[in-house]
Every structure is written in structure tokens, then in C-alpha cells.
Amino acid sequence: MPENFPQDLAWLILLLPLVAAIAITLFTRRFPRLSAQLSITAVVLAFLASFSLFLLMQEPLKIASHAEATALSWLSIGDLKVELGLRIDALSLLMLLIVTGVGGAIHIYSAGYMKDDPGYARYFACLSLFTFSMLGIVLANNLVMMFIFWELVGVSSYLLIGFWFAKPSAADAAKKAFLTNRLGDFGFILGIILVWATLGSVGFDELQMRLGKAPEAWAGVAALAGLLIFCGAMGKSAQFPLHVWLPDAMEGPTPVSALIHAATMVAAGVYMLCRMFFLFGTHSVWPASLGFLNGITALDLIAWIGGLTALMAALMAVQQNDIKRILAYSTLSQLGYMVMAVGLSGPDAAMYHLATHAFFKALLFLGAGSVIYACHHEQDIWRMGGLKKKMPVTYWTFLIGTLALCGVPPFSGFYSKDEILAVASRHSVLLFILATAVAVLTTFYMFRLFFVAFLGKERSENAAHAHESPKVMTWPLVVLAVPTIFAGFWGIQAFVGHALHPQEAVHSGNFLETLFAPFSHAPLAALMGLGAVLFGFSAASSLYANTEKDPLPNMLGGLSRAMRDRFYFDEIYSGLITITHEAASKLANWLDRWVIAGLGVRGVHGSTEILGRALRLVQSGNLQTYAFLFVAGLVLVLLYALN
Amino acid sequence: MLTSIILIPFLAALAILFIPRNFRFVIRVVALAATLITALIAVKLFLGFDAATAGAGGYKFIHKIPWVESLGINYFVGVDGINIGLILMGALVAFAATCVSWEIQTNEKLYYVLLMVMTGGILGAFASLDLFFFYAFHEFALVPTFIMIGLWGRGENKNYATFNITLYLSLGALIALFGLIALYLQVPAPQRTFDIVALTEYFKANPMAVNAQHFIFPLLLFGFGILVSLWPFHTWAPLGYGAAPTATAMLHAGVLKKFGLYGLIRIALPLMPSGAQHWLSVLAILCLGNILHCGWVAMRQRDLNQLIGNSSVAHMGFAFLGIASLNLIGITGTVLVMVAHGFLAALTFGLSGYLRTQTHTLDMDKMGGLLKKLPFIGVALIMAMMAGCGLPGFANFAGELSVLFGAWKGAFGHAQWFVVAAAWGGLVIGGIYMLRAIRDVLHGEGAEKFPDAKDATLWRKAPFVVLLVALLIFGVAPRLLSDKIKPAAENIVKLSTAGAGGKSFEPLKVTERKVARATQSGAAK
Amino acid sequence: MSLTPVGLEHYLVVSAALFCLGVLGVILRRNLIVMYMSLELMLNAANLALVAFSRFNNDLNGQVMVFFIITVAAAEVAVGLALIVALYRKRQTAHVENLTTMKL
């Protein structure tokens, strides 16, 4: 095997979806089935290649922490050197498997779900473009390249969320998503510039080397740079306060929601934080204008923002009635967990949860899609019910996904959530309590969803006539259920931990040890986690096991309404935007029309005209006036000459 | 070779004069052929340009014919890294503009003559290395604008816009002329020449008196600045482009506007370093006005052409910012932005012109849902809008990225935070109104209001495809352009930071200086 | 009683006086014909000055110039009076205040 084979394989993985996207856009728009086949083939091949790469790299990664693929110089002007190169290490291998694996399942699922849509070919082109962009983020070996693909992911998601662009709400949702992401990118690029200006490079390898030499200039800007870079993650992973786009993004087709908002795009923010984890240190010095933050590190801020997002989103999920929205808020909440884990210096726990979350959340979304499809595009859970007998595969896989999400052993979610709780318990009591509370709420709203949508009596005509979805849609569910159940035993955390904390020893025992590991390593966290699940489940079953309508609004009154209305964030934001931007633009427009164009340009025009009219008075047409002026001038000249 | 680029359009204009006015098809074919050949030659020159084999002063493809010896006027054309990209852009945009002119149905003969003269003027201005011809070619390009907007323009403001744009730009050109003549007079009489190369050599050896620099530089800055719609002298742009016929708007916004920036980079910066450093803080503030103020004004526009016009003024702010930073990254970024924006402005104005022919209105409140009916034009417009707010993959991103990074290293002291944040904030604002435009024009409902709207057929697609491909090629591989620009830009930076201790980089601490030196030696390898 | 001989300055004073009267006539009189006559007065004042200089400097060139001036004046009178008559026929007035179509 030639020496560069892994690197070439990595390039192949990256470029396959791009080739599919270009081919579909240019050539096969009129052949929907061919387009779908192209796209699916590309991503499945990419998955197989990723898996081979994973196997190939097991040995080399034990020696060197990473491998780099040949880089092309993209832009090279003076100190600004941006290259397009690929970095293969444990982190990127894990993400490759997730993106191509889950992505592949979703591609196949979409072939069935979107069958009757007139924009079928366009859908797959956008999906392939998205996959390409996401793989670019995963494989990037420098900050600017990551930013480039970051933006490309943003535009692909814009195209996918706004897929049904004729629908005003979808068009608005797409616009909102892109702009909110852009706002996050505002901070991101300022952070990149700060890092480049202080450390002189944008490549991850270079940066790690230079940080190792501990330049003193870095200490002054480290915290600020960290926070700014986190802004990008805030936008992409929908952390507070940039979370408002994620629920609206459910306007896209359900497979898109599964891909983008469960498994991949939102995970990009967490992935980026883990990638950049080496930049975040214990620096807590801020520049003068932000002096009130002295003593708090960027990681502290990240942890709290993550925790707050988790709590807030869980509260909002408790009172939503649209199945996709519940799952969307659940995603927000779990992302909050991951971000909090990074902030608590547990990036390996965050990546672990990212991986398991990708599996079970995608499963849940696809299951929801199956339910929606079966109930003729009904999305309100209070119009479903009694689906257990009618849709057994969907029912059981959804149950598995729910149990994993709530953190019930021995499903994968239990282990990954426990790691996060363990990290929290080690670092911050407050956040540990908050995380546990969120676990309670998670179990509560997920089982609320489950009881209302799947159990009980049918609540509408559509539910009564539901039947199981076609095989092309149920097979991916089964495929995804496998890692949902077993991913806890695959040693994901050890795999990633080795890359992130090369100094720490890696402990991975046999099956039984792994099964009970949480109880032996961090018993408090595990017990509290289990307790939270039991508490939430009992609350949910007592309220929702057999109800016709939701009892919570009566119990909680105004709070319930606030939760359902998402704590009025959207309204506050549009108010703020009206006050600042609209005001600024009105002012600028006024300035432009009345001062610059009015006073300035027309003023010049007007004064020239007035001057002209004044001078015109000299032209009286009277011959004698002219003669007088001649003589006067002559006299003046004579006086001057004779003096 | 270079002369042929300039000569072919003028010859075509002459040829069209002899064609009887009823032979409309023949006239169009002659014009199309002329611009196509010019574009192909420009591409060939671009690909054949290699900075390493440059001749006198770093220029290639030189052609020099002495004209008026006593005053030092020669016909002197040549290319270096800075204007080769601009010439390529000008030729391609001219071709696209000629293709788009199918909508002109009256008095075509006069129209195409003017279009050809304008093309020749623009290309001559960019290629010219003699101050006299530089200015003269610019006037060749400016005067047809007046006639074209006056005769074929649209909107109720048409006459006002025509006179506004012409008088305003003539004022700018006049101020610049004062500056140029003052510059000419700074050289002692026996060596007086309009030759830019000779002037550069002369002033490198004998720098101009500092007072003279501080006086002449602002003349050139504001004179050329008005030509490029520097804030606050920018109101002519949206007004004029709103009223102009499509091809004129494409050529003017895309190409002619860059003339002023090119003049600043070629003439003002290297010949008057002290003046440049003295005035750059003013320039930085004004360009922020461009970016932010015009961005906010664009947000209020409901007419698509006005929105695009204001956004193009905002983009010019980026170009000015790169100049104001006075370092290699900044100036290379400026040239990248100039070329990229040329393609982009031409593309957007071309698309909005096409939309107007189909919907007979450019009021965004009345349009809507057009993506369904016009898929190609719609997708092209989405790509253009995305490129306009700095999406990677299009050439604009590479330029704007370089400008931002260069601006950080510019001599702004602690204001660099504000400058860079404001500039990037301008792109966020750009995202807001561009996406709003897409939402209002292409998405949503409303397709039934325009039952006759037809998508572009193969020939009508051609200009947009050419421009999009150019944007994509330079977006995916910006080194194709930036490598050519770098040596010339280095020259300019060296000349313009001379004599003041090279204030353009921040003072680095000891450890960082070592890091920087390591990078430099790494780069030199 | 002895009379001072008539010197050059006396002629020049007379010439100047005539010239000023002519100028005043052009500026202050409103009738075209009278303005024209004043114009002639100015010309003749110049003639007087020239003759005086010629006599006192013993240079005949001055008197030759006077002949030229008289001829030109005569031609000018002919053309000018024709114009005035034509103008009068058109406008029925020879008052210069009514003839103001030359204003912008």
C-alpha cells in the first residue's frame, strides 16, 4: 500500500459528496432517481472509506497523535498563510464516522420520505453539498479553512431549511438561521484574527507548538480570544442567546432536521470547541473594557452558558405540542450539556455525548418523521396516540431512543450523560445540580411525548388510519437503534480521550467493567442520574399516562404559557433589532437623503443657482449700463497703470 | 498585444458608425464579436502574465510610443500584477454588458458606439502608464455614461440622475486633475514627464517636499475618492445606477468605479508616502462610513437597484480599508476586492436588469416567489447575494478576509478593534439586507403575479455564467490572482511606507518577533 | 498785456474736456441719436489730441492718423445710422431704456 494512502483516502472522503453535488446540479436535475442514487452512493462510499480509514489509522495513531494530508496553499500573502489541508486524528475519525454513517442512514431514509416532492433532485444536491461542507469542518487542519467550511455549512443549511421556499414561514426560518449563524461568526472571525495576530499562525499544529512556548503576549488576550471563538460555536450550536434559530429550523423536511439539527451541523460547534480546546487555558485576564470579568476564565463562561441553555431549553420543551419542536428543544438542551462539559474541561465527555446523541437523536427524528408520514403530515402530539399496535418498528425504536436520551442504563445515553454529570460533580456543585435538574426535565418531557403520541387512545382520524412506514424508512431506524443501544461499550471516550489528553492514562476494561463503570468511578453522579430518571418518569406517567389533554397549563398557569411561547425570546429579539438596527438604518437613510444629498449635493446645486441669479442682475440688457461699466473699468485700469 | 485590447473596441465603434442604422443584428454581432475577442485576449494575457519575467519597473507587455516630447506625454501601456486582474475583469464585464444589451430596442447604433468607446476607454485607463492618457481614457469612459443614462435611462428621476452623476464625477475628476498637474509640476522642468514609471523612479530618488505631499495627496484622495463613491461623496451612485440602463450600470459600477482606487494605488501611494501616512487615518474613518452608513441605508431600500447600488458603495469601503492599512496583506486584499467586486456588481446589476424586463418593476414589495418561475436567474441571484455578503467559495471572501487581516495590522493603534469589528459588522449588515432581498424577491408567495415571466434562455444565460464562473474560479483558487498581485503590491508598500520608519506593523514583543521572523524565513523558502 | 502762447497742454485740456463730455453723453443721454453724436464727439476729441501732438512734435504721422480716423468715423456713422433707423422701424422707439433684449 503506498505511503500516502490514508491521506488520499481522506481527500476521497471529502470530495465524493462534492462531486455528487456538482454532478446533480449540472447534469442530472431532470432525473430525480438518478440524482438520489448519486448522492446516496457518494455518502455510503464515504462511510465505507471512513471506516477503512478508521481501521487503517489504529496503529499509526498509537505512535503519532495525528496525521496530516497533503496541503494545498489556498492563500499566501505575507504573514497570512491559509492552506487547505486535512488532519486525521481520533477526533476527526470519530466525527467522520458519525457524519458519514448517520448521514448515510438519513440519505437513504430521505429517498423514501421525499419521494413525491417535485424538488427531489435539488434536495439531494443540497444534501450532498451539506455533507461536503460538514466533512470539511471535520477534516480542516487550520482555523481559516474551518471557517470557510463553517460558512459553507451555514449556506447549505439555509438551502435545506428553506427547501420549501414558497412557504413564507420556511423562507423566514432559513433567513433567521443564516443571520443568527452570521452573528456568531462575527465573534468567530474576530477571535481568529486575534489568535493570528498574537501567535502568528492559523494552523492547529503550529498553534499548539507556539502555545507550548508560552508567549507572554498570549496571556493578555487568551480569555478574550477564547470567548470570541466560542461565539462561533454559540451560533452554530444554538447556545443562548443565539438559540432562536433552531426551533424555527424545523420548517425544513424532517430528514433535514435529523441530519442538521440532531446529528451533524449543531454538533459542529461542540466539535470545534473540542478541537480548539488546547487554546483555552486557565487565563483569566481580560482587556480593560471587559475588566469586570477578571478572574473568570473563558471556560467558566462557556460552562455556564451551556448549563443555562440546557435548563432553558428543557423548560421550553415541557410545554411544546409539536413533536418536532419537542425534539428540537431537546437537542438544544443536550447541546447545552455538551458545551457545559467542554467548559468544565471535559472535552472527551462532550465528544462522547456528541456521538451517542447523534445516534439516538437522529433515530428519534427519523422516528418522528415516520409518525408524521403515517399520520398524513400531522405534527401535533395531541392528535396522535395509540400507535403502538399500528407501527411496531417505529414504536420500539422510538422507545429505545427515548430511553437512551433519558439516560437509562444500559443504553448508550446513560454512559455518556453520566460522564458529563461526573465531570460536573468534580468541578462545580451548582452546575451539577443544574445538570441533574435538566436530567429530570428531560425524562419528564420525553415521556410526556411518548405517552401522548404512542400510547393511549387514538386522538384523531389520521392516527386511527396510521400504518407502518415503508421499509426504506424503517430500516434506517433499526440500523440506528443498534449504536443507540450498544455505543456505550465501544470505548468512544477512551478513543477520543487519548487524542485530547495524551498525558492521561487510558482505562478501558472488559465488558462487565464497562457496564458498571459509572457506578465505580463516580457513584454520586450515576446515582443522581438514575434518581433523576426515576423522578421524571414517575411525574410524567402520573400526569400523562392516560389523559385527553394537557393538565400542566392549569397547574402552572402563566409559567406554562411562557414555556410554550419560548420565554418570549423571539419577541424580545425582534424588538431589540427594531430599536437598534432599524433605528440606525432609518437614521442613515435620513442622513443620506436630507443631509448629504439634500444639504450637500442639492445645496451646492442651489447655491450655484442663487449665485448665478445674482450675477444675472448685472446683465440688464441696457446698453448704457454696459457702457458705464466699460468706462469704469477703463478708469480703474488707468489709475492702476499710472500709479 | 495590450494595445489590441484597447484598440479593438475603438475600431469596432468606428465600424459600427459605418453600418446603416437599420442593420440592428449586424451592429449587435460586431459589438459582441469585438468584446468577445477582447475578452479572449485579456484571458490569454492574464494566463501569460508571470511577474518573474517582468521588464522595466516590473511591467510586462509594454508598448511605448512617444507623442509630445516637449511635455513628456507618451502613449505608454503595460501591465503588472495590479492591473492585469483589473484588465481581465474589465474585458469580461464588457463582454457580459454587451450580451445584456439585448433589451435596448431604440437607437441601437448610437448605443453600441458609446458602449464600445466606453469599453476602450476603461481598458485603456487601466493599462495606461502615462498620466495624460490615464486621465484621457477615463474621460472617454465617463462621457458616454452621460449620454447613455440620459437617453436610455429609466425612472422618473432619470434626468436628475444623469446630470447628478456626470457633474459629480466630473468634479471628482477635476479635483484629481488638479492633483495630477500639481504632481507633474513638482518635478523640475527639464525632467518633467507624465510617464508613471519615470515619475516613480524620480520620486524614489528625490522624495517630494513634505508640504507638497500633504497638499497634493488629499487632492488626489478626494478627487479619486469621489470617483469611487467615498463617503460622504457617494450619493450619486445609487441614484445613477437606479436610473441607468443595465449595461451602463454593469460597466460603471463594476469597472469604472475601480479607476479611482487604481489611481490611488498606482499614483498617490507610491509617489507621496508621507502624505499617504498623514491622511490615512482620515481615510479609515471615511471608509467605515462607507461600510456602515451605506449598509444601513441599503437596509431601508425597497427598490432592488437602489439596494444593490448602496451595497456596492459599501463594498468600496472594504477596498479603501485595505489601502488605509498600508501593508502587503491589505493592499493585496484591496486589489482582490476590486476584481471580485467588479464581477459581482456586474452580475447583480445584470440579473436585476433581467428581472426588470420580466416583471417591469424592481419594487421588492411587489415582487415575490420568483424562484419558482425563474430558476436559473433565481439561483444566480442567490449566489450573487451570498457572494456579496462574503460567503467563502466566491472571490469576494478571499479579498475581504485579506482586508480584515491586513486592517488589524494597519497603523490604527488601539482603534484597530473598532475598525475591524465595524468592517466585519458591515458584512453582517450586508447579510441582513441581502437575505431580505432574496426573501422578498425570490422566496415566499407571489409567483402568480407574473404569469409571463420567463427564465433566461441559453444566450441570455451566457453573460451571467461567465461572471459566475469567474467569481467561483477566483473564489476557490484565489492564488491564481493573489500570486500575481503580490510582487507589485510589495513594491507599492515599500514605496509608500518609506521615510517614516515603516509604521504599518504593530510593535511586537520579543517572543513574537522571533515567531514572526521564523514565519518570514519560512515564507521566503 | 502779453498773452501766453497757446501750448500743447491747452489743446490737450480741450481734448480731454471734449472726451469727457462725449463719455457723459454716452452714459447719461437716453436718445440713441444723441448717444451716437456723443460717440462722434469722443472720436473728434481723439483727433484733436493727435493733431496737437503732431503740431508740437513736428511729426506728420499724427495728422495722417487723423485722416484714417475721420474716414473710419464716416463709415461707422453710415452703418450705425442705418442700424438705428432699422431698429427704430422695428421697435418704434429710439429710447435706449426700451431696448433691453440683450439681457439674459
Side-chain angles (χ1 to χ4, degrees):
Chain A
M1 202 171 299
E3 198 176 86
N4 287 349
F5 188 63
Q7 285 86 333
D8 293 340
L9 201 56
W11 278 110
L12 188 70
I13 299 174
L14 177 65
L15 291 174
L16 269 173
L18 178 66
V19 168
I22 295 180
I24 298 175
T25 315
L26 290 179
F27 303 124
T28 66
R29 290 287 287 277
R30 290 174 216 274
F31 308 110
R33 294 206 53 189
L34 181 56
S35 309
Q37 280 161 0
L38 268 176
S39 181
I40 295 176
T41 317
V43 78
V44 168
L45 280 178
F47 175 70
L48 292 172
S50 305
F51 196 68
S52 333
L53 191 62
F54 173 75
L55 293 173
L56 271 173
M57 293 299 292
Q58 288 301 317
E59 283 307 314
L61 280 184
K62 290 204 172 73
I63 310 173
S65 69
H66 68 277
E68 298 244 343
T70 46
L72 304 162
S73 174
W74 186 72
L75 189 66
S76 170
I77 309 173
D79 283 339
L80 179 62
K81 293 188 183 20
V82 179
E83 54 179 30
L84 293 178
L86 308 179
R87 182 185 170 99
I88 310 170
D89 63 2
L91 215 53
S92 51
L93 281 173
L94 177 65
M95 280 301 284
L96 273 182
L97 287 171
I98 296 176
V99 172
T100 51
V102 175
I106 293 176
H107 274 69
I108 298 175
Y109 180 94
S110 306
Y113 189 88
M114 302 289 293
K115 192 162 49 96
D116 299 313
D117 195 294
Y120 199 62
R122 176 167 58 100
Y123 177 82
F124 277 101
C126 293
L127 217 56
S128 290
L129 182 67
F130 175 85
T131 313
F132 163 67
S133 317
M134 193 64 212
L135 290 172
I137 293 185
V138 166
L139 287 168
N141 78 344
N142 65 69
L143 275 168
V144 178
M145 179 179 170
M146 192 182 249
F147 182 79
I148 292 176
F149 282 101
W150 194 265
E151 293 276 309
L152 284 178
V153 165
V155 90
S156 320
S157 74
Y158 170 79
L159 291 172
L160 283 168
I161 297 174
F163 181 69
W164 290 314
F165 54 79
K167 204 160 132 214
S169 54
D172 287 328
K175 184 169 73 134
K176 189 176 193 179
F178 189 81
L179 289 177
T180 318
N181 267 309
R182 249 286 138 137
L183 214 53
D185 296 344
F186 179 72
F188 193 15
I189 225 190
L190 285 178
I192 294 180
I193 295 183
L194 194 53
V195 168
W196 171 76
T198 323
L199 293 174
S201 166
V202 291
F204 296 142
D205 255 355
E206 275 286 313
L207 284 172
Q208 260 178 316
M209 227 169 46
R210 290 179 192 195
L211 272 179
K213 300 191 190 128
E216 71 259 15
W218 177 243
V221 300
L224 185 58
L227 185 64
L228 285 173
I229 291 186
F230 176 61
C231 280
M234 265 205 281
K236 203 54 108 207
S237 293
Q239 298 299 298
F240 172 82
L242 293 176
H243 63 279
V244 288
W245 66 270
L246 191 59
D248 281 16
M250 296 299 125
E251 291 284 340
T254 310
V256 165
S257 307
L259 182 65
I260 292 184
H261 310 116
T264 44
M265 172 170 155
V266 293
V270 178
Y271 171 75
M272 185 265 277
L273 285 176
C274 294
R275 246 285 172 258
M276 308 300 309
F277 191 69
F278 65 89
L279 269 183
F280 299 104
T282 49
H283 308 283
S284 56
V285 178
W286 298 82
S289 44
L290 291 169
F292 61 90
L293 287 168
N294 273 332
I296 308 178
T297 68
L299 283 177
D300 293 331
L301 283 172
I302 293 177
W304 275 99
I305 291 180
L308 276 172
T309 308
L311 182 64
M312 190 188 64
L315 284 173
M316 290 187 200
V318 165
Q319 275 294 286
Q320 298 299 317
N321 295 324
D322 179 326
I323 189 173
K324 280 170 70 168
R325 292 222 165 201
I326 299 178
L327 292 176
Y329 284 108
S330 156
T331 305
L332 260 183
S333 181
Q334 298 303 306
L335 286 170
Y337 258 158
M338 294 178 223
V339 170
M340 184 178 75
V342 172
L344 293 168
S345 304
D348 41 345
M351 284 305 293
Y352 189 18
H353 196 60
L354 194 156
T356 59
H357 176 263
F359 298 130
F360 57 68
K361 198 38 85 54
L363 172 59
L364 285 170
F365 263 109
L366 292 184
S370 172
V371 167
I372 294 173
Y373 185 79
C375 295
H376 297 292
H377 296 284
E378 177 60 67
Q379 293 185 212
D380 188 337
I381 56 173
W382 295 99
R383 302 241 200 90
M384 302 175 188
L387 295 174
K388 175 174 176 182
K389 294 270 178 0
K390 301 194 178 66
M391 309 176 66
V393 179
T394 309
Y395 174 82
W396 283 106
T397 51
F398 202 90
L399 181 60
I400 291 174
T402 307
L403 288 173
L405 174 53
C406 299
V408 174
F411 296 100
S412 56
F414 168 67
Y415 294 98
S416 59
K417 199 181 266 197
D418 174 77
E419 286 292 335
I420 297 184
L421 287 174
V423 165
S425 68
R426 280 200 286 271
H427 282 81
S428 161
V429 176
L430 273 175
L431 281 174
F432 177 63
I433 297 176
L434 194 145
T436 318
V438 174
V440 173
L441 285 170
T442 308
T443 319
F444 179 72
Y445 64 69
M446 278 315 289
F447 275 100
R448 169 179 178 266
L449 168 66
F450 193 73
F451 283 131
V452 173
F454 285 90
L455 298 175
K457 291 198 337 277
E458 301 90 14
R459 296 193 180 81
S460 75
E461 279 291 310
N462 283 332
H465 294 149
H467 56 83
E468 188 59 88
S469 303
K471 286 255 173 44
V472 73
M473 284 167 66
T474 53
W475 265 105
L477 293 176
V478 174
V479 166
L480 280 173
V482 172
T484 307
I485 304 176
F486 294 113
F489 312 115
W490 289 348
I492 297 181
Q493 173 148 4
F495 180 63
V496 182
H498 180 65
L500 287 167
H501 302 293
Q503 311 87 344
E504 280 178 24
V506 168
H507 35 236
S508 50
N510 62 28
F511 178 69
L512 271 180
E513 279 179 20
T514 329
L515 190 59
F516 291 106
F519 295 100
S520 45
H521 288 151
L524 178 65
L527 285 172
M528 291 294 283
L530 272 180
V533 169
L534 288 170
F535 185 55
F537 179 75
S538 55
S541 66
S542 68
L543 282 175
Y544 290 103
N546 251 318
T547 48
E548 281 298 315
K549 60 187 201 68
D550 201 336
L552 265 190
N554 292 335
M555 289 167 58
L556 297 177
L559 181 59
S560 141
R561 206 174 333 117
M563 286 198 263
R564 201 174 334 125
D565 291 336
R566 307 176 303 267
F567 293 117
Y568 305 110
F569 269 111
D570 287 309
E571 289 77 5
I572 297 176
Y573 282 176
S574 59
L576 270 178
I577 292 178
T578 314
I579 295 177
T580 51
H581 259 292
E582 298 286 318
S585 64
K586 271 196 200 137
L587 177 67
N589 200 23
W590 178 84
L591 252 179
D592 212 59
R593 283 178 87 185
W594 295 108
V595 176
I596 297 180
L599 215 56
V601 176
R602 283 191 202 252
V604 168
H605 162 218
S607 34
T608 318
E609 195 157 326
I610 292 181
L611 193 63
R613 277 186 213 260
L615 284 175
R616 210 197 263 185
L617 293 173
V618 176
Q619 307 275 35
S620 63
N622 190 329
L623 194 56
Q624 287 184 315
T625 318
Y626 295 160
F628 172 67
L629 290 171
F630 285 162
V631 174
L634 184 64
V635 166
L636 283 172
V637 168
L638 273 177
L639 278 175
Y640 177 70
L642 292 175
N643 266 358
Chain B
M1 222 3 173
L2 198 53
T3 309
S4 59
I5 293 187
I6 305 171
L7 209 50
I8 291 180
F10 282 121
L11 286 177
L14 203 58
I16 296 178
L17 274 176
F18 284 115
I19 303 179
R21 62 170 62 186
N22 311 350
F23 287 48
R24 301 207 287 240
F25 183 70
V26 178
I27 294 179
R28 270 186 59 79
V29 166
V30 169
L32 273 172
T35 44
L36 182 61
I37 297 177
T38 313
L40 288 172
I41 300 182
V43 170
K44 179 152 175 281
L45 280 179
F46 182 79
L47 293 173
F49 178 83
D50 178 11
T53 64
Y59 297 98
K60 276 200 80 168
F61 305 124
I62 295 178
H63 194 171
K64 186 169 183 171
I65 306 176
W67 194 35
V68 180
E69 295 279 0
S70 53
L71 289 173
I73 306 179
N74 313 301
Y75 170 79
F76 186 15
V77 294
V79 290
D80 73 347
I82 295 184
N83 55 0
I84 186 71
L86 294 170
I87 291 178
L88 175 70
M89 184 258 295
L92 287 174
V93 169
F95 172 65
T98 316
C99 290
V100 166
S101 302
W102 61 269
E103 61 180 13
I104 303 288
Q105 305 284 345
T106 56
N107 216 342
E108 289 90 344
K109 179 164 155 173
L110 181 60
Y111 179 85
Y112 281 104
V113 167
L114 290 172
L115 196 61
M116 292 296 108
V117 169
M118 202 172 167
T119 309
I122 290 175
L123 293 173
F126 282 137
S128 177
L129 289 175
D130 179 282
L131 282 178
F132 181 84
F133 276 97
F134 182 67
Y135 194 82
F137 276 124
H138 173 253
E139 293 301 309
F140 268 124
L142 188 57
V143 172
T145 323
F146 170 60
I147 307 178
M148 284 164 107
I149 304 183
L151 283 182
W152 293 279
R154 0 174 224 236
E156 19 5 275
N157 261 343
K158 171 183 75 147
N159 289 334
Y160 177 70
T162 314
F163 281 100
N164 188 323
I165 196 175
T166 312
L167 288 175
Y168 216 143
L169 292 181
S170 303
L171 177 69
L174 194 62
I175 298 178
L177 184 63
F178 283 150
L180 289 176
I181 294 186
L183 185 64
Y184 174 75
L185 292 175
Q186 289 296 314
V187 182
Q191 290 152 302
R192 272 195 198 144
T193 172
F194 281 100
D195 181 338
I196 295 181
V197 178
L199 281 173
T200 319
E201 288 303 319
Y202 177 81
F203 283 116
K204 192 154 63 160
N206 327 310
M208 213 190 291
V210 176
N211 315 0
Q213 287 195 32
H214 286 208
F215 170 69
I216 300 180
F217 186 80
L219 280 179
L220 285 182
L221 176 64
F222 288 107
F224 284 135
I226 294 178
L227 292 178
V228 190
S229 63
L230 178 66
W231 189 85
F233 309 110
H234 64 280
T235 48
W236 56 267
L239 190 64
Y241 298 147
T246 312
T248 313
M250 285 166 77
L251 272 176
H252 200 284
V255 196
L256 199 50
K257 243 199 205 174
K258 314 297 177 292
F259 171 78
L261 284 165
Y262 175 66
L264 277 177
I265 296 181
R266 176 69 85 215
I267 303 172
L269 285 186
L271 300 184
M272 286 170 279
S274 157
Q277 285 153 28
H278 188 77
W279 277 90
L280 283 176
S281 40
V282 173
L283 181 59
I285 298 176
L286 292 182
C287 79
L288 285 183
N290 261 59
I291 299 179
L292 291 175
H293 174 105
C294 295
W296 278 321
V297 173
M299 270 176 65
R300 297 288 301 170
Q301 300 305 318
R302 301 313 301 160
D303 176 295
L304 188 59
N305 256 359
Q306 298 268 356
L307 185 135
I308 300 175
N310 272 305
S311 112
S312 100
V313 175
H315 278 250
M316 290 297 99
F318 266 97
F320 277 118
L321 186 60
I323 292 183
S325 59
L326 257 200
N327 55 42
L328 176 61
I329 305 179
I331 298 218
T332 313
T334 296
V335 182
L336 281 172
V337 167
M338 280 159 77
V339 175
H341 179 261
F343 288 125
L344 179 69
L347 181 62
T348 26
F349 276 116
L351 287 170
S352 86
Y354 185 87
L355 277 176
R356 181 191 278 247
T357 60
Q358 298 301 311
T359 62
H360 304 292
T361 174
L362 279 180
D363 184 349
M364 295 199 283
D365 294 326
K366 298 209 182 78
M367 299 198 276
L370 286 170
L371 185 54
K372 257 208 172 76
K373 289 213 142 252
L374 308 169
F376 174 77
I377 297 285
V379 167
L381 190 62
I382 292 182
M383 286 169 89
M385 292 289 176
M386 288 292 174
C389 49
L391 189 71
F394 295 104
N396 305 69
F397 173 71
E400 282 152 7
L401 189 74
S402 311
V403 165
L404 281 177
F405 276 70
W408 185 270
K409 291 232 157 152
F412 302 125
H414 287 295
Q416 75 206 98
W417 268 111
F418 179 65
V419 168
V420 174
W424 176 236
L427 277 180
V428 174
I429 298 177
I432 296 178
Y433 61 73
M434 299 277 191
L435 258 75
R436 201 185 281 180
I438 298 180
R439 166 77 182 85
D440 290 337
V441 172
L442 296 173
H443 287 171
E445 300 155 343
E448 19 2 284
K449 279 186 274 187
F450 306 105
D452 302 327
K454 278 189 308 260
D455 201 9
T457 52
L458 184 62
W459 289 114
R460 308 259 162 92
K461 276 190 206 175
F464 307 127
V465 169
V466 165
L467 294 170
L468 268 175
V469 164
L471 274 175
L472 283 169
I473 290 182
F474 287 127
V476 169
R479 283 196 74 179
L480 282 178
L481 195 51
S482 71
D483 279 354
K484 296 195 183 0
I485 301 175
K486 251 193 332 185
E490 259 182 60
N491 242 353
I492 306 257
V493 171
K494 234 189 325 199
L495 287 171
S496 57
T497 50
K503 263 185 7 184
S504 51
F505 289 155
E506 287 174 84
L508 295 169
K509 292 212 187 105
V510 175
T511 42
E512 291 158 289
R513 212 173 275 145
K514 285 213 195 104
V515 164
R517 217 172 282 148
T519 330
Q520 296 282 9
S521 57
K525 263 189 259 186
Chain C
M1 184 163 79
S2 61
L3 298 165
T4 37
V6 179
L8 178 59
E9 56 276 16
H10 300 101
Y11 284 101
L12 290 181
V13 167
V14 171
S15 169
L18 278 178
F19 189 83
C20 288
L21 284 174
V23 167
L24 283 172
V26 167
I27 294 181
L28 296 176
R29 296 301 292 264
R30 284 178 301 244
N31 193 314
L32 269 179
I33 309 274
V34 175
M35 279 172 76
Y36 217 66
M37 290 197 292
S38 310
L39 216 54
E40 287 303 304
L41 198 54
M42 284 158 75
L43 278 170
N44 284 313
N47 285 344
L48 182 58
L50 275 169
V51 168
F53 273 116
S54 157
R55 166 76 171 82
F56 281 93
N57 291 341
N58 281 321
D59 186 349
L60 272 179
N61 284 319
Q63 303 190 12
V64 170
M65 272 242 37
V66 170
F67 274 107
F68 276 111
I69 295 180
I70 292 178
T71 319
V72 167
E76 177 218 341
V77 164
V79 173
L81 282 177
L83 282 173
I84 293 179
V85 168
L87 198 56
Y88 182 77
R89 286 217 186 110
K90 195 88 203 285
R91 292 308 188 84
Q92 305 302 322
T93 174
H95 242 226
V96 89
E97 281 175 356
N98 302 334
L99 301 165
T100 56
T101 49
M102 268 209 305
K103 69 162 20 165
L104 272 176

